[in-house]
Amino acid sequence: MTDTDGLRKKGRTPTFGAQAAYLQEPAGYGSDTDDWTGWIRFAGIMMILLGVFQLIEGLVALFSPTYFLVGEEGVVLSLSFSSWGWTHLLLGVLILAAGFGVMAGQVWARAVGIVLAGLSAIANLVFIAAYPIWSVIIIAVDVAVIFALATNRRGAPAPEA
């Protein structure tokens, strides 16, 4: 049986040249199951970025405390910016390490990543008066990381096209 016979059985007429390319079936990407590894890679990359963002925020708090919109008394928890700097630095290092753990496929890093992203969101919510736009961006990244790490789609059948 030739290819044109197969097309005729499907109710299609054989085509040639550019028309054949235009009428070609869509290419299948991936497998027939909805694989969750893409979400895990996304979460790992976002955690690494989140760790870097937290490190930057911590360094700014340590070395340029006058950069913020409010003074130390204007933040929800009235701590010195040096304390906030060390808090953000510690969170940044831990999230960065967990992000590399997630990228290496460590299951413990997923659980730790969810907890650290939650702590990061809370810390930035408390710090939002001092650095509003940056804090909102970090909270959004935290939510994306939590979603990506908490999602487990392994083995779910792919939707029918």
Side-chain angles (χ1 to χ4, degrees):
M1 177 164 79
T2 64
D3 189 38
T4 56
D5 293 333
L7 286 173
R8 285 192 180 110
K9 282 186 178 180
K10 290 182 180 178
R12 297 186 182 157
T13 57
T15 57
F16 302 98
Q19 185 180 12
Y22 180 73
L23 295 175
Q24 186 177 12
E25 293 284 326
Y29 297 103
S31 66
D32 59 347
T33 60
D34 191 9
D35 194 12
W36 62 282
T37 56
W39 280 108
I40 297 300
R41 284 190 204 114
F42 170 78
I45 291 167
M46 292 306 287
M47 286 177 70
I48 292 168
L49 281 172
L50 184 61
V52 171
F53 289 166
Q54 289 283 17
L55 288 172
I56 291 170
E57 191 171 11
L59 291 173
V60 168
L62 285 174
F63 297 119
S64 185
T66 59
Y67 182 78
F68 299 108
L69 293 177
V70 296
E72 294 170 351
E73 67 283 344
V75 183
V76 174
L77 289 178
S78 216
L79 299 172
S80 70
F81 281 129
S82 137
S83 299
W84 279 111
W86 286 110
T87 301
H88 289 295
L89 277 176
L90 178 65
L91 269 172
V93 168
L94 293 175
I95 292 171
L96 195 63
F100 283 116
V102 166
M103 292 297 285
Q106 301 297 320
V107 177
W108 63 266
R110 287 180 67 190
V112 169
I114 291 170
V115 170
L116 289 175
L119 289 173
S120 171
I122 292 168
N124 280 284
L125 184 64
V126 172
F127 198 65
I128 202 164
Y131 218 7
I133 301 296
W134 187 266
S135 292
V136 168
I137 290 170
I138 300 245
I139 291 169
V141 173
D142 287 326
V143 170
V145 165
I146 291 170
F147 175 77
L149 290 175
T151 286
N152 188 1
R153 299 174 180 228
R154 180 180 296 212
E160 293 291 324

